[in-house]
Amino acid sequence: DSGVTQTPKHLITATGQRVTLRCSPRSGDLSVYWYQQSLDQGLQFLIQYYNGEERAKGNILERFSAQQFPDLHSELNLSSLELGDSALYFCASSVGVRGYSEAFFGQGTRLTVV
Amino acid sequence: SQELEQSPQSLIVQEGKNLTINCTSSKTLYGLYWYKQKYGEGLIFLMMLQKGGEEKSHEKITAKLDEKKQQSSLHITASQPSHAGIYLCGAGRDSGSARQLTFGSGTQLTVLP
């Protein structure tokens, strides 16, 4: 158990819909990262938050957004869903935002868009 | 080309054999991370390497970092079926305001009993 909790574990929804994925970081970790993993793209970095502030953006679509709340949990919002958004979405957390710190991943949310 | 190249892409070994997986970065490394993933499951943190020449071991898995060559190798001694899975290397990248992790495409390891 990495200490990073993601809910839900599985999600099936229709095209055009909106979903919210939730992540609770390890106790004491201030940084949260979101990743998308698909067969053709591999593990792609989406966005990073540190202590409530957005710090880095990767290959995140405009239809996607995220936030980190004062209690440090984070949510990834995916809207106007398309079939191609079907993937595993991972959250990871680490202590810091710079320097070297170990990053631990949650079990992921498997999103299926039908 | 990919920022992080892993080789081989897949590996099938007989139980008890040793094996090595390599990871090469085309950009400056700020830390090199190794993870293991069972298909469709979460990533399990194995090791993080920071300094050139650094070597870390966990049970039968050893990872080394050659900072000058921007390469890392993961070596498994006397492989077991429990070692099977996808091994991913991740590189710390500096975006100015934060460090983030980018990943290679992974090495699929199969260990035959």
Side-chain angles (χ1 to χ4, degrees):
Chain A
D1 183 8
S2 67
V4 180
T5 305
Q6 287 188 249
T7 56
K9 198 167 182 181
H10 300 278
L11 200 48
I12 302 175
T13 190
T15 54
Q17 295 298 304
R18 172 189 168 96
V19 296
T20 298
L21 312 184
R22 183 188 167 101
C23 169
S24 294
R26 286 191 322 153
S27 176
D29 284 358
L30 299 178
S31 258
V32 168
Y33 311 76
W34 285 98
Y35 288 83
Q36 179 193 58
Q37 187 178 43
S38 58
L39 279 174
D40 54 343
Q41 294 289 323
L43 196 58
Q44 298 283 317
F45 168 71
L46 296 178
I47 198 163
Q48 178 191 11
Y49 279 82
Y50 175 76
N51 204 20
E53 287 186 9
E54 181 187 305
R55 282 303 192 101
K57 258 186 175 178
N59 301 321
I60 187 165
L61 299 171
E62 283 191 14
R63 301 183 284 109
F64 296 0
S65 65
Q67 53 184 330
Q68 187 180 27
F69 295 87
D71 67 352
L72 302 176
H73 91 271
S74 179
E75 292 181 355
L76 179 68
N77 301 296
L78 315 176
S79 60
S80 302
L81 285 166
E82 301 174 359
L83 295 177
D85 298 327
S86 296
L88 262 172
Y89 290 85
F90 287 107
C91 163
S93 74
S94 67
V95 169
V97 66
R98 299 296 299 277
Y100 300 94
S101 54
E102 297 169 349
F104 295 87
F105 281 72
Q107 289 297 301
T109 293
R110 180 172 292 283
L111 174 66
T112 304
V113 183
V114 297
Chain B
S1 64
Q2 296 288 325
E3 282 187 30
L4 273 179
E5 294 278 355
Q6 276 188 247
S7 62
Q9 285 189 319
S10 66
L11 196 50
I12 302 173
V13 299
Q14 203 69 42
E15 183 176 359
K17 295 294 185 185
N18 302 337
L19 62 106
T20 300
I21 298 169
N22 295 299
C23 176
T24 303
S25 175
S26 60
K27 296 186 176 182
T28 303
L29 286 170
Y30 293 92
L32 192 292
Y33 299 70
W34 284 101
Y35 292 85
K36 178 186 172 187
Q37 184 182 26
K38 293 281 190 185
Y39 181 76
E41 298 181 11
L43 279 69
I44 300 167
F45 175 81
L46 295 175
M47 277 167 268
M48 180 187 74
L49 305 167
Q50 294 177 216
K51 304 170 190 174
E54 187 174 10
E55 181 174 318
K56 285 188 178 179
S57 292
H58 175 68
E59 297 178 344
K60 294 184 178 179
I61 302 176
T62 300
K64 299 179 188 179
L65 178 62
D66 184 333
E67 201 168 39
K68 283 183 185 175
K69 292 183 182 177
Q70 298 189 149
Q71 285 180 343
S72 178
S73 60
L74 185 87
H75 185 76
I76 298 178
T77 304
S79 58
Q80 301 168 353
S82 61
H83 287 127
I86 301 167
Y87 288 81
L88 290 153
C89 69
R93 300 291 188 217
D94 195 331
S95 65
S97 62
R99 289 269 165 84
Q100 55 192 266
L101 282 179
T102 57
F103 285 88
S105 53
T107 295
Q108 172 82 54
L109 173 64
T110 303
V111 181
L112 301 174

